[in-house]
């Protein structure tokens, strides 16, 4: 998955996205101020790790990026209708 961050909440966090679709080199960078601190690492390891991404996901979607299960983040061009992968087990007629 090609979503990385610089910075720790609470405070400014810079997000770096890279399209995970094979052959695509699209990238995006944006900054957000995340006011809420992450949950305690001892009490909720995954919540602590994913806190910034969870807060930023509505903004990521508003930018046109989507998360494709088992693939990662796809840029708006790769996420356009007709370019998305089919669900496993679906065949064309």
């Amino acid at each position: 998955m090609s979503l990385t961050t610089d910075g720790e909440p609470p405070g400014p966090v810079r997000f770096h996205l890279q399209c995970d679709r094979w052959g695509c080199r699209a990238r995006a960078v944006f900054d957000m101020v995340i006011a809420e601190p992450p949950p305690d690492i001892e009490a909720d390891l995954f919540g602590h790790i994913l806190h910034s991404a969870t807060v930023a996901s509505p903004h990521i979607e508003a930018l046109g990026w989507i998360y494709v299960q088992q693939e990662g983040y796809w840029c708006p061009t790769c996420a356009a209708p007709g370019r998305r992968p089919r669900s496993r087990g679906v065949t064309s007629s």
Side-chain angles (χ1 to χ4, degrees):
M1 176 168 37
S2 295
L3 172 66
T4 58
T5 59
D6 293 325
E8 291 290 325
V13 178
R14 175 162 286 172
F15 292 83
H16 304 268
L17 275 166
Q18 179 179 343
C19 186
D20 289 314
R21 186 161 191 233
W22 188 81
C24 184
R25 295 180 181 251
R27 297 172 187 261
V29 177
F30 64 93
D31 297 321
M32 287 184 77
V33 175
I34 300 178
E36 312 85 30
D40 181 59
I41 196 167
E42 296 295 325
D44 184 1
L45 175 64
F46 290 113
H48 182 85
I49 292 171
L50 299 175
H51 176 69
S52 295
T54 302
V55 172
S57 34
H59 184 66
I60 291 169
E61 289 176 16
L63 292 173
W65 289 70
I66 64 166
Y67 181 77
V68 178
Q69 196 71 356
Q70 298 179 348
E71 298 285 332
Y73 282 97
W74 283 24
C75 70
T77 301
C78 292
R83 306 242 6 218
R84 295 181 188 176
R86 292 187 192 162
S87 298
R88 294 202 184 328
V90 174
T91 58
S92 61
S93 46

